[in-house]
Amino acid sequence: MIKTNTRWALLVAIASVPVMPSLAIAEGQNAVLEEVIVTARRRAENIQETPIAVSALSGDDLRERGLGNVQDLAKVVPSLEIMKNRSSAIFIRGVGERTGFARVDPAVGVYLDDLFLPRADGQLLDTVDVSSIQVLRGPQGTLFGKNTTGGAMVMSLVKPADTFESYLDIGVGNRGLRRAKASVNLPLTDYLFVKLAANIIKDDGYIEDDLVGTTRGGDNDRSSVIAQLRWDISSTMSLDAFAYYGRVNEQIATDHCNVINEDSLFMRGLYVMWAGDTDPQNPSAFKNNCESNSREVQGDYTTRIGPNPYMKRDLESAMVGATLQWELSEYHTIKTVLGVRGAEKGPQWLGDNDGGPAKYSESYGISFLDPDQSSQRDSVSLEFQFNGSNQAETLSYTLGLFGMRETNEEPFSLFTALAGFDLENLGKLAAGQAPGPTQTAAGSTPMVGTLTPLSYSQFGLENVTFAAFGQASYQLAEHWELTLGVRYTSEKRSSDLTVYQSDVGAVSERLALSPFFGPGAGGFNPFLGSWLGVPGLGDPVTIANSLFPDTNGDGLPDYPFDLDNPRFDERSDTFAKTTPMGSLSYSFSDAVLASMGLDSGLLYATWSFGFKSGFFEPRGIDGLERVEPETVENRELGLKLEALDRSLRVNLAAYSMDFDEMQLIQVKQDSAGNNAVIFQNAGASSIVGGEIEVQWIPLPALNVNLAYSNNNYSYEDYKDADLFTQALGQGVVLNDRSDEPFQVSPQDNFSVGVQYTAETSVGRITPRIDVRYRSERYFGIDNTAYDAYRRDPLESGDEPFTVVDMRLGWENRDGSTAVTLYVNNAFDERYLSNSGGVGDSIGTNTGSLAPPRAYGLDVRWVY
């Protein structure tokens, strides 16, 4: 791993580039970087004059670099990490939310034409008809529709225009890739224009299941349509509206599994006997099940999970947005943004806790009372903005109101198969003692059962958001600008939870009615034989589970439910916060620029706050628990420079962020012994880091892009209850976890792209190469997973990796036809796309590899 001092030395060295003479610039060279316009402060301004850490890519940039989906932005934007598997997760500067649960807000806000996309599942859009994407790093607690602690991603569509335009992109590639993207712009009258765009992408996936054979996971299967309308109502008023429909129907990339803690609760910690175990001195079925699906046994892109009807990412979404803009005068504008969104998410396999083909412990986003039930997510939002400036343009300001009502339904089912204990160990557990090897193994009594083999919960959320915000920038002097802003956010959360459990009495009765088990007590029945079971039928636990066949075809045993005694909880509260910001910037004077050999320069210092609402967390049969809001204070210094006749642009930022009550995921047990992924607050944490972005045209035909970030994460106060002592009923013992790294995000993130354009007699030829590096990443969830990570990063994380993408493009002289050959991950680097290590309870780490080498051909026609 690169040492911290080396990282900062690299930053300083790169930062000094603008003030050093360049020998690579040819005499008389006049190539300059294009001006980049951003709207990070709700008004159009040059990115080099904006005192915010923001990356911006145009539609042409996205196409030239082969960035076809929001997820691909992580290849080129510093401090940005994006994960996609069962749910989507966006992290900026180490701040994000990795579960995708509806109850918790994302830490990074995503906007499409000013319309906020509230749920992570709908944020990873394909870049269809996108004019630009801006990534704002750091808390956005003042101007944007939703207060966020990590940052914001702002996507803008290419608006309808007054001329006929169209294009068609098609592509083919390995693994059965076929895709098409098309758009047409139609002026209907002198004042009314429409634009239609469509996108479809499909391939065959890259992960094969050893037990199914033909099933391939990790595929792409997405389609979307966007219709836009622009109406120039008058010379001072215009309406922009769009309607979006998208469908995702993809196969989940299944995971490999490795054991990280044999003393976990599900293994030797409680001496649980699972189906396949016959020796109470050495229960090993759970461990063997995981290891049979390990990367070492199966290979890189083959897993061993078996058939499952819910291994799909099935999402259907639609939204309508309308923006009415009215220029009251030369200096004042009113903007109104209305949005309506709806999404329906199909039943989905959320987690294979045992990590292998056996069905010991799994979780589903599904109602087993109604397997066809989908999750419905709806929202409506309205925003008013008043933008203005004085006549001298020394003062500019934005005032606004934002409101949103959102409703979500989230079914969740947790399956834990019938399991076994030796009678001696069952007695120890009842007495609060740790189980162990039995003293009377030969004559021990198998006890089979569970407190609840299957539980189902229905979570409902209504969230009403209101915000009032204002921000103003004032020209203190010729080169000094002061910006002040404040936002008041109010989030009213109303949640309800209904939990159904298996009918333990009915389960026990069915066991007792069989010839294999005697009458039970406390949810466990004695097996009328030894742990060796019955020849031809198996061990006691296998026999018990076979008494509950899967008659409805959902892939799980049909345990009877107790439908007459559901548990119900309902909570409501309002979480409110005022978040201020202040920024002071200095634009370099001509004298300073001349003395340093620069063309432009901006130095700024920012102090800002962000806020993420609290919520109510389902904790199994124990109902709803309150999770406190997450707040962040950010202090940032930035420097933006242009040099060498504006052929070189260097932007730097250094920052320090302090978090209070950071919302983190943990694995906990409810009072029935069910494991569940839940959120809890960490007392205090901090991030210290730096970023640099470089754009350089050393020769008229050569373009170089570079991005680097270094983030150092630390928990100042992070204590977590020990799961083992809780499971034994020995009270709460707190573990100090302040030495752990943040999840998902690497310390070092580096990318560089080089593109050369050659004008020839047969057209423009453009080769391009992109290289990105990530330092090691930690994917664990609990403290035992971190112990495994310290032993070996691959046990609960990922080692550093470097990925190389290559492109070769040809375009005819009038730009109407273009052909591109590409290869992504050219050297077939193996690295994780996602992972999750849970050491205390389950003792396993599961994760899937990112796609291997991909290559293809794209053709584009412009009319």
Side-chain angles (χ1 to χ4, degrees), residues 75 750-752 769-774 800-806 823-832 850-853:
K75 296 180 179 181
F750 175 80
S751 65
V752 60
I769 183 170
D770 286 278
V771 180
R772 56 191 166 104
Y773 165 84
R774 297 290 187 274
F801 64 89
T802 301
V803 175
V804 178
D805 296 342
M806 298 179 181
V823 54
N824 295 330
N825 193 4
F827 297 101
D828 211 17
E829 181 81 349
R830 306 298 164 91
Y831 62 99
L832 290 173
R853 182 188 296 115

PDB file of all heavy atoms in Angstrom, residues 75 750-752 769-774 800-806 823-832 850-853:
ATOM      1  N   LYS A  75     -14.950   5.153 -13.002  1.00  0.00           N
ATOM      2  CA  LYS A  75     -13.672   4.936 -13.674  1.00  0.00           C
ATOM      3  C   LYS A  75     -12.843   6.209 -13.777  1.00  0.00           C
ATOM      4  O   LYS A  75     -11.615   6.134 -13.918  1.00  0.00           O
ATOM      5  CB  LYS A  75     -13.905   4.389 -15.088  1.00  0.00           C
ATOM      6  CG  LYS A  75     -14.563   3.030 -15.160  1.00  0.00           C
ATOM      7  CD  LYS A  75     -14.738   2.598 -16.613  1.00  0.00           C
ATOM      8  CE  LYS A  75     -15.368   1.231 -16.746  1.00  0.00           C
ATOM      9  NZ  LYS A  75     -15.505   0.812 -18.167  1.00  0.00           N
ATOM     10  N   PHE A 750      -6.952   6.309  -8.478  1.00  0.00           N
ATOM     11  CA  PHE A 750      -6.169   6.993  -9.509  1.00  0.00           C
ATOM     12  C   PHE A 750      -6.659   6.555 -10.882  1.00  0.00           C
ATOM     13  O   PHE A 750      -6.936   5.378 -11.117  1.00  0.00           O
ATOM     14  CB  PHE A 750      -4.677   6.670  -9.363  1.00  0.00           C
ATOM     15  CG  PHE A 750      -3.821   7.234 -10.464  1.00  0.00           C
ATOM     16  CD1 PHE A 750      -3.441   8.569 -10.456  1.00  0.00           C
ATOM     17  CD2 PHE A 750      -3.401   6.433 -11.513  1.00  0.00           C
ATOM     18  CE1 PHE A 750      -2.661   9.096 -11.479  1.00  0.00           C
ATOM     19  CE2 PHE A 750      -2.618   6.943 -12.541  1.00  0.00           C
ATOM     20  CZ  PHE A 750      -2.244   8.277 -12.517  1.00  0.00           C
ATOM     21  N   SER A 751      -6.786   7.509 -11.797  1.00  0.00           N
ATOM     22  CA  SER A 751      -7.125   7.174 -13.179  1.00  0.00           C
ATOM     23  C   SER A 751      -6.421   8.141 -14.112  1.00  0.00           C
ATOM     24  O   SER A 751      -6.208   9.309 -13.787  1.00  0.00           O
ATOM     25  CB  SER A 751      -8.640   7.230 -13.405  1.00  0.00           C
ATOM     26  OG  SER A 751      -9.142   8.541 -13.250  1.00  0.00           O
ATOM     27  N   VAL A 752      -6.051   7.641 -15.284  1.00  0.00           N
ATOM     28  CA  VAL A 752      -5.435   8.474 -16.300  1.00  0.00           C
ATOM     29  C   VAL A 752      -5.927   7.998 -17.661  1.00  0.00           C
ATOM     30  O   VAL A 752      -6.060   6.797 -17.910  1.00  0.00           O
ATOM     31  CB  VAL A 752      -3.890   8.418 -16.223  1.00  0.00           C
ATOM     32  CG1 VAL A 752      -3.371   7.018 -16.417  1.00  0.00           C
ATOM     33  CG2 VAL A 752      -3.261   9.384 -17.218  1.00  0.00           C
ATOM     34  N   ILE A 769      -6.584   5.220 -24.465  1.00  0.00           N
ATOM     35  CA  ILE A 769      -6.320   4.244 -23.417  1.00  0.00           C
ATOM     36  C   ILE A 769      -6.655   4.878 -22.072  1.00  0.00           C
ATOM     37  O   ILE A 769      -6.348   6.056 -21.834  1.00  0.00           O
ATOM     38  CB  ILE A 769      -4.856   3.750 -23.452  1.00  0.00           C
ATOM     39  CG1 ILE A 769      -4.636   2.664 -22.397  1.00  0.00           C
ATOM     40  CG2 ILE A 769      -3.874   4.895 -23.281  1.00  0.00           C
ATOM     41  CD1 ILE A 769      -3.297   1.955 -22.540  1.00  0.00           C
ATOM     42  N   ASP A 770      -7.324   4.108 -21.219  1.00  0.00           N
ATOM     43  CA  ASP A 770      -7.670   4.552 -19.869  1.00  0.00           C
ATOM     44  C   ASP A 770      -7.164   3.529 -18.868  1.00  0.00           C
ATOM     45  O   ASP A 770      -7.378   2.316 -19.041  1.00  0.00           O
ATOM     46  CB  ASP A 770      -9.184   4.702 -19.714  1.00  0.00           C
ATOM     47  CG  ASP A 770      -9.722   5.934 -20.423  1.00  0.00           C
ATOM     48  OD1 ASP A 770      -9.633   7.020 -19.843  1.00  0.00           O
ATOM     49  OD2 ASP A 770     -10.228   5.796 -21.560  1.00  0.00           O
ATOM     50  N   VAL A 771      -6.499   4.021 -17.833  1.00  0.00           N
ATOM     51  CA  VAL A 771      -5.958   3.167 -16.779  1.00  0.00           C
ATOM     52  C   VAL A 771      -6.507   3.655 -15.447  1.00  0.00           C
ATOM     53  O   VAL A 771      -6.487   4.858 -15.164  1.00  0.00           O
ATOM     54  CB  VAL A 771      -4.410   3.206 -16.758  1.00  0.00           C
ATOM     55  CG1 VAL A 771      -3.876   2.301 -15.660  1.00  0.00           C
ATOM     56  CG2 VAL A 771      -3.843   2.809 -18.115  1.00  0.00           C
ATOM     57  N   ARG A 772      -7.011   2.744 -14.636  1.00  0.00           N
ATOM     58  CA  ARG A 772      -7.478   3.132 -13.302  1.00  0.00           C
ATOM     59  C   ARG A 772      -6.912   2.166 -12.262  1.00  0.00           C
ATOM     60  O   ARG A 772      -6.791   0.965 -12.502  1.00  0.00           O
ATOM     61  CB  ARG A 772      -9.000   3.167 -13.222  1.00  0.00           C
ATOM     62  CG  ARG A 772      -9.703   1.898 -13.594  1.00  0.00           C
ATOM     63  CD  ARG A 772     -11.203   2.122 -13.735  1.00  0.00           C
ATOM     64  NE  ARG A 772     -11.849   1.010 -14.395  1.00  0.00           N
ATOM     65  CZ  ARG A 772     -12.574   0.082 -13.767  1.00  0.00           C
ATOM     66  NH1 ARG A 772     -12.734   0.161 -12.454  1.00  0.00           N
ATOM     67  NH2 ARG A 772     -13.139  -0.898 -14.426  1.00  0.00           N
ATOM     68  N   TYR A 773      -6.575   2.739 -11.134  1.00  0.00           N
ATOM     69  CA  TYR A 773      -5.990   1.983 -10.021  1.00  0.00           C
ATOM     70  C   TYR A 773      -6.815   2.221  -8.769  1.00  0.00           C
ATOM     71  O   TYR A 773      -7.275   3.340  -8.510  1.00  0.00           O
ATOM     72  CB  TYR A 773      -4.541   2.432  -9.789  1.00  0.00           C
ATOM     73  CG  TYR A 773      -3.968   1.974  -8.456  1.00  0.00           C
ATOM     74  CD1 TYR A 773      -3.422   0.705  -8.318  1.00  0.00           C
ATOM     75  CD2 TYR A 773      -4.003   2.813  -7.347  1.00  0.00           C
ATOM     76  CE1 TYR A 773      -2.921   0.277  -7.098  1.00  0.00           C
ATOM     77  CE2 TYR A 773      -3.490   2.403  -6.121  1.00  0.00           C
ATOM     78  CZ  TYR A 773      -2.950   1.133  -5.996  1.00  0.00           C
ATOM     79  OH  TYR A 773      -2.451   0.719  -4.787  1.00  0.00           O
ATOM     80  N   ARG A 774      -7.027   1.156  -8.002  1.00  0.00           N
ATOM     81  CA  ARG A 774      -7.665   1.256  -6.688  1.00  0.00           C
ATOM     82  C   ARG A 774      -6.780   0.548  -5.676  1.00  0.00           C
ATOM     83  O   ARG A 774      -6.313  -0.576  -5.921  1.00  0.00           O
ATOM     84  CB  ARG A 774      -9.049   0.591  -6.678  1.00  0.00           C
ATOM     85  CG  ARG A 774     -10.072   1.215  -7.602  1.00  0.00           C
ATOM     86  CD  ARG A 774     -10.500   2.599  -7.108  1.00  0.00           C
ATOM     87  NE  ARG A 774     -11.597   3.111  -7.899  1.00  0.00           N
ATOM     88  CZ  ARG A 774     -11.473   3.786  -9.035  1.00  0.00           C
ATOM     89  NH1 ARG A 774     -10.265   3.995  -9.530  1.00  0.00           N
ATOM     90  NH2 ARG A 774     -12.524   4.242  -9.681  1.00  0.00           N
ATOM     91  N   PRO A 800      -5.245  -4.384  -3.987  1.00  0.00           N
ATOM     92  CA  PRO A 800      -5.151  -3.340  -5.017  1.00  0.00           C
ATOM     93  C   PRO A 800      -5.237  -3.944  -6.414  1.00  0.00           C
ATOM     94  O   PRO A 800      -4.827  -5.080  -6.647  1.00  0.00           O
ATOM     95  CB  PRO A 800      -3.768  -2.720  -4.762  1.00  0.00           C
ATOM     96  CG  PRO A 800      -3.454  -3.033  -3.335  1.00  0.00           C
ATOM     97  CD  PRO A 800      -4.082  -4.359  -3.068  1.00  0.00           C
ATOM     98  N   PHE A 801      -5.793  -3.177  -7.345  1.00  0.00           N
ATOM     99  CA  PHE A 801      -5.904  -3.676  -8.709  1.00  0.00           C
ATOM    100  C   PHE A 801      -5.788  -2.518  -9.689  1.00  0.00           C
ATOM    101  O   PHE A 801      -6.025  -1.356  -9.345  1.00  0.00           O
ATOM    102  CB  PHE A 801      -7.220  -4.422  -8.931  1.00  0.00           C
ATOM    103  CG  PHE A 801      -8.460  -3.582  -8.792  1.00  0.00           C
ATOM    104  CD1 PHE A 801      -8.985  -2.906  -9.876  1.00  0.00           C
ATOM    105  CD2 PHE A 801      -9.093  -3.474  -7.568  1.00  0.00           C
ATOM    106  CE1 PHE A 801     -10.127  -2.123  -9.746  1.00  0.00           C
ATOM    107  CE2 PHE A 801     -10.237  -2.698  -7.425  1.00  0.00           C
ATOM    108  CZ  PHE A 801     -10.758  -2.021  -8.515  1.00  0.00           C
ATOM    109  N   THR A 802      -5.412  -2.855 -10.915  1.00  0.00           N
ATOM    110  CA  THR A 802      -5.299  -1.890 -12.004  1.00  0.00           C
ATOM    111  C   THR A 802      -6.026  -2.449 -13.218  1.00  0.00           C
ATOM    112  O   THR A 802      -5.821  -3.601 -13.598  1.00  0.00           O
ATOM    113  CB  THR A 802      -3.823  -1.638 -12.359  1.00  0.00           C
ATOM    114  OG1 THR A 802      -3.135  -1.157 -11.206  1.00  0.00           O
ATOM    115  CG2 THR A 802      -3.718  -0.614 -13.476  1.00  0.00           C
ATOM    116  N   VAL A 803      -6.874  -1.632 -13.817  1.00  0.00           N
ATOM    117  CA  VAL A 803      -7.671  -2.046 -14.968  1.00  0.00           C
ATOM    118  C   VAL A 803      -7.361  -1.119 -16.137  1.00  0.00           C
ATOM    119  O   VAL A 803      -7.287   0.105 -15.968  1.00  0.00           O
ATOM    120  CB  VAL A 803      -9.177  -2.014 -14.647  1.00  0.00           C
ATOM    121  CG1 VAL A 803      -9.997  -2.325 -15.899  1.00  0.00           C
ATOM    122  CG2 VAL A 803      -9.509  -3.012 -13.548  1.00  0.00           C
ATOM    123  N   VAL A 804      -7.194  -1.689 -17.319  1.00  0.00           N
ATOM    124  CA  VAL A 804      -6.866  -0.940 -18.524  1.00  0.00           C
ATOM    125  C   VAL A 804      -7.983  -1.131 -19.554  1.00  0.00           C
ATOM    126  O   VAL A 804      -8.364  -2.270 -19.856  1.00  0.00           O
ATOM    127  CB  VAL A 804      -5.524  -1.394 -19.121  1.00  0.00           C
ATOM    128  CG1 VAL A 804      -5.224  -0.622 -20.403  1.00  0.00           C
ATOM    129  CG2 VAL A 804      -4.395  -1.207 -18.110  1.00  0.00           C
ATOM    130  N   ASP A 805      -8.528  -0.022 -20.061  1.00  0.00           N
ATOM    131  CA  ASP A 805      -9.508  -0.037 -21.140  1.00  0.00           C
ATOM    132  C   ASP A 805      -8.883   0.596 -22.384  1.00  0.00           C
ATOM    133  O   ASP A 805      -8.137   1.585 -22.271  1.00  0.00           O
ATOM    134  CB  ASP A 805     -10.766   0.749 -20.770  1.00  0.00           C
ATOM    135  CG  ASP A 805     -11.515   0.133 -19.593  1.00  0.00           C
ATOM    136  OD1 ASP A 805     -11.279  -1.050 -19.293  1.00  0.00           O
ATOM    137  OD2 ASP A 805     -12.329   0.842 -18.985  1.00  0.00           O
ATOM    138  N   MET A 806      -9.192   0.069 -23.560  1.00  0.00           N
ATOM    139  CA  MET A 806      -8.642   0.596 -24.811  1.00  0.00           C
ATOM    140  C   MET A 806      -9.762   0.802 -25.825  1.00  0.00           C
ATOM    141  O   MET A 806     -10.709   0.001 -25.890  1.00  0.00           O
ATOM    142  CB  MET A 806      -7.602  -0.376 -25.392  1.00  0.00           C
ATOM    143  CG  MET A 806      -6.397  -0.620 -24.506  1.00  0.00           C
ATOM    144  SD  MET A 806      -5.253  -1.808 -25.263  1.00  0.00           S
ATOM    145  CE  MET A 806      -3.978  -1.906 -24.007  1.00  0.00           C
ATOM    146  N   VAL A 823     -11.920  -2.617 -26.064  1.00  0.00           N
ATOM    147  CA  VAL A 823     -11.726  -3.738 -25.154  1.00  0.00           C
ATOM    148  C   VAL A 823     -11.642  -3.161 -23.745  1.00  0.00           C
ATOM    149  O   VAL A 823     -10.822  -2.281 -23.474  1.00  0.00           O
ATOM    150  CB  VAL A 823     -10.479  -4.569 -25.512  1.00  0.00           C
ATOM    151  CG1 VAL A 823      -9.234  -3.698 -25.598  1.00  0.00           C
ATOM    152  CG2 VAL A 823     -10.277  -5.693 -24.506  1.00  0.00           C
ATOM    153  N   ASN A 824     -12.525  -3.598 -22.875  1.00  0.00           N
ATOM    154  CA  ASN A 824     -12.526  -3.184 -21.476  1.00  0.00           C
ATOM    155  C   ASN A 824     -11.873  -4.266 -20.631  1.00  0.00           C
ATOM    156  O   ASN A 824     -12.029  -5.454 -20.879  1.00  0.00           O
ATOM    157  CB  ASN A 824     -13.955  -2.935 -20.981  1.00  0.00           C
ATOM    158  CG  ASN A 824     -14.612  -1.766 -21.680  1.00  0.00           C
ATOM    159  OD1 ASN A 824     -13.941  -0.817 -22.095  1.00  0.00           O
ATOM    160  ND2 ASN A 824     -15.930  -1.820 -21.837  1.00  0.00           N
ATOM    161  N   ASN A 825     -11.152  -3.824 -19.611  1.00  0.00           N
ATOM    162  CA  ASN A 825     -10.377  -4.750 -18.785  1.00  0.00           C
ATOM    163  C   ASN A 825      -9.484  -5.600 -19.685  1.00  0.00           C
ATOM    164  O   ASN A 825      -9.534  -6.834 -19.695  1.00  0.00           O
ATOM    165  CB  ASN A 825     -11.299  -5.628 -17.937  1.00  0.00           C
ATOM    166  CG  ASN A 825     -10.561  -6.377 -16.847  1.00  0.00           C
ATOM    167  OD1 ASN A 825      -9.348  -6.207 -16.655  1.00  0.00           O
ATOM    168  ND2 ASN A 825     -11.281  -7.227 -16.126  1.00  0.00           N
ATOM    169  N   ALA A 826      -8.651  -4.898 -20.444  1.00  0.00           N
ATOM    170  CA  ALA A 826      -7.881  -5.525 -21.516  1.00  0.00           C
ATOM    171  C   ALA A 826      -6.983  -6.651 -21.022  1.00  0.00           C
ATOM    172  O   ALA A 826      -6.760  -7.635 -21.749  1.00  0.00           O
ATOM    173  CB  ALA A 826      -7.048  -4.466 -22.240  1.00  0.00           C
ATOM    174  N   PHE A 827      -6.449  -6.536 -19.818  1.00  0.00           N
ATOM    175  CA  PHE A 827      -5.533  -7.555 -19.303  1.00  0.00           C
ATOM    176  C   PHE A 827      -6.238  -8.519 -18.353  1.00  0.00           C
ATOM    177  O   PHE A 827      -5.590  -9.235 -17.596  1.00  0.00           O
ATOM    178  CB  PHE A 827      -4.338  -6.878 -18.634  1.00  0.00           C
ATOM    179  CG  PHE A 827      -3.525  -6.051 -19.598  1.00  0.00           C
ATOM    180  CD1 PHE A 827      -3.656  -4.677 -19.636  1.00  0.00           C
ATOM    181  CD2 PHE A 827      -2.665  -6.669 -20.495  1.00  0.00           C
ATOM    182  CE1 PHE A 827      -2.925  -3.918 -20.536  1.00  0.00           C
ATOM    183  CE2 PHE A 827      -1.937  -5.918 -21.398  1.00  0.00           C
ATOM    184  CZ  PHE A 827      -2.064  -4.541 -21.425  1.00  0.00           C
ATOM    185  N   ASP A 828      -7.571  -8.520 -18.391  1.00  0.00           N
ATOM    186  CA  ASP A 828      -8.387  -9.496 -17.668  1.00  0.00           C
ATOM    187  C   ASP A 828      -8.075  -9.510 -16.175  1.00  0.00           C
ATOM    188  O   ASP A 828      -7.909 -10.565 -15.559  1.00  0.00           O
ATOM    189  CB  ASP A 828      -8.190 -10.891 -18.271  1.00  0.00           C
ATOM    190  CG  ASP A 828      -9.449 -11.736 -18.150  1.00  0.00           C
ATOM    191  OD1 ASP A 828     -10.528 -11.167 -17.904  1.00  0.00           O
ATOM    192  OD2 ASP A 828      -9.347 -12.967 -18.282  1.00  0.00           O
ATOM    193  N   GLU A 829      -8.025  -8.323 -15.589  1.00  0.00           N
ATOM    194  CA  GLU A 829      -7.760  -8.195 -14.157  1.00  0.00           C
ATOM    195  C   GLU A 829      -8.938  -8.744 -13.355  1.00  0.00           C
ATOM    196  O   GLU A 829     -10.101  -8.501 -13.681  1.00  0.00           O
ATOM    197  CB  GLU A 829      -7.529  -6.718 -13.796  1.00  0.00           C
ATOM    198  CG  GLU A 829      -7.230  -6.462 -12.348  1.00  0.00           C
ATOM    199  CD  GLU A 829      -5.778  -6.735 -11.977  1.00  0.00           C
ATOM    200  OE1 GLU A 829      -5.052  -7.323 -12.813  1.00  0.00           O
ATOM    201  OE2 GLU A 829      -5.361  -6.352 -10.874  1.00  0.00           O
ATOM    202  N   ARG A 830      -8.647  -9.469 -12.278  1.00  0.00           N
ATOM    203  CA  ARG A 830      -9.688 -10.043 -11.431  1.00  0.00           C
ATOM    204  C   ARG A 830      -9.789  -9.213 -10.139  1.00  0.00           C
ATOM    205  O   ARG A 830      -8.817  -9.123  -9.379  1.00  0.00           O
ATOM    206  CB  ARG A 830      -9.384 -11.505 -11.109  1.00  0.00           C
ATOM    207  CG  ARG A 830      -9.143 -12.359 -12.358  1.00  0.00           C
ATOM    208  CD  ARG A 830     -10.382 -12.402 -13.254  1.00  0.00           C
ATOM    209  NE  ARG A 830     -10.116 -12.870 -14.604  1.00  0.00           N
ATOM    210  CZ  ARG A 830     -10.193 -14.145 -14.987  1.00  0.00           C
ATOM    211  NH1 ARG A 830     -10.486 -15.075 -14.102  1.00  0.00           N
ATOM    212  NH2 ARG A 830      -9.973 -14.473 -16.243  1.00  0.00           N
ATOM    213  N   TYR A 831     -10.951  -8.639  -9.939  1.00  0.00           N
ATOM    214  CA  TYR A 831     -11.196  -7.848  -8.737  1.00  0.00           C
ATOM    215  C   TYR A 831     -12.678  -7.929  -8.395  1.00  0.00           C
ATOM    216  O   TYR A 831     -13.509  -8.335  -9.219  1.00  0.00           O
ATOM    217  CB  TYR A 831     -10.765  -6.389  -8.940  1.00  0.00           C
ATOM    218  CG  TYR A 831     -11.521  -5.664 -10.027  1.00  0.00           C
ATOM    219  CD1 TYR A 831     -12.576  -4.817  -9.719  1.00  0.00           C
ATOM    220  CD2 TYR A 831     -11.173  -5.817 -11.373  1.00  0.00           C
ATOM    221  CE1 TYR A 831     -13.271  -4.151 -10.723  1.00  0.00           C
ATOM    222  CE2 TYR A 831     -11.852  -5.159 -12.376  1.00  0.00           C
ATOM    223  CZ  TYR A 831     -12.903  -4.325 -12.046  1.00  0.00           C
ATOM    224  OH  TYR A 831     -13.587  -3.673 -13.039  1.00  0.00           O
ATOM    225  N   LEU A 832     -13.035  -7.550  -7.180  1.00  0.00           N
ATOM    226  CA  LEU A 832     -14.404  -7.713  -6.699  1.00  0.00           C
ATOM    227  C   LEU A 832     -15.305  -6.577  -7.168  1.00  0.00           C
ATOM    228  O   LEU A 832     -14.905  -5.417  -7.180  1.00  0.00           O
ATOM    229  CB  LEU A 832     -14.429  -7.760  -5.173  1.00  0.00           C
ATOM    230  CG  LEU A 832     -13.825  -9.014  -4.522  1.00  0.00           C
ATOM    231  CD1 LEU A 832     -13.773  -8.834  -3.007  1.00  0.00           C
ATOM    232  CD2 LEU A 832     -14.618 -10.261  -4.878  1.00  0.00           C
ATOM    233  N   ALA A 850     -15.902  -8.727 -10.541  1.00  0.00           N
ATOM    234  CA  ALA A 850     -16.328  -7.838 -11.613  1.00  0.00           C
ATOM    235  C   ALA A 850     -16.158  -8.555 -12.951  1.00  0.00           C
ATOM    236  O   ALA A 850     -15.448  -9.563 -13.048  1.00  0.00           O
ATOM    237  CB  ALA A 850     -15.503  -6.552 -11.580  1.00  0.00           C
ATOM    238  N   PRO A 851     -16.802  -8.058 -14.009  1.00  0.00           N
ATOM    239  CA  PRO A 851     -16.741  -8.756 -15.300  1.00  0.00           C
ATOM    240  C   PRO A 851     -15.312  -8.913 -15.807  1.00  0.00           C
ATOM    241  O   PRO A 851     -14.459  -8.042 -15.605  1.00  0.00           O
ATOM    242  CB  PRO A 851     -17.560  -7.848 -16.227  1.00  0.00           C
ATOM    243  CG  PRO A 851     -18.496  -7.126 -15.324  1.00  0.00           C
ATOM    244  CD  PRO A 851     -17.724  -6.910 -14.053  1.00  0.00           C
ATOM    245  N   PRO A 852     -15.029 -10.011 -16.500  1.00  0.00           N
ATOM    246  CA  PRO A 852     -13.712 -10.200 -17.130  1.00  0.00           C
ATOM    247  C   PRO A 852     -13.603  -9.347 -18.392  1.00  0.00           C
ATOM    248  O   PRO A 852     -14.453  -8.489 -18.659  1.00  0.00           O
ATOM    249  CB  PRO A 852     -13.701 -11.694 -17.456  1.00  0.00           C
ATOM    250  CG  PRO A 852     -15.147 -12.025 -17.681  1.00  0.00           C
ATOM    251  CD  PRO A 852     -15.918 -11.155 -16.728  1.00  0.00           C
ATOM    252  N   ARG A 853     -12.571  -9.603 -19.158  1.00  0.00           N
ATOM    253  CA  ARG A 853     -12.337  -8.843 -20.387  1.00  0.00           C
ATOM    254  C   ARG A 853     -13.595  -8.830 -21.272  1.00  0.00           C
ATOM    255  O   ARG A 853     -14.255  -9.843 -21.467  1.00  0.00           O
ATOM    256  CB  ARG A 853     -11.175  -9.452 -21.153  1.00  0.00           C
ATOM    257  CG  ARG A 853     -10.823  -8.715 -22.432  1.00  0.00           C
ATOM    258  CD  ARG A 853      -9.798  -9.479 -23.260  1.00  0.00           C
ATOM    259  NE  ARG A 853      -8.522  -9.603 -22.558  1.00  0.00           N
ATOM    260  CZ  ARG A 853      -8.016 -10.761 -22.148  1.00  0.00           C
ATOM    261  NH1 ARG A 853      -8.688 -11.898 -22.356  1.00  0.00           N
ATOM    262  NH2 ARG A 853      -6.859 -10.800 -21.524  1.00  0.00           N
TER     263      ARG A 853
END
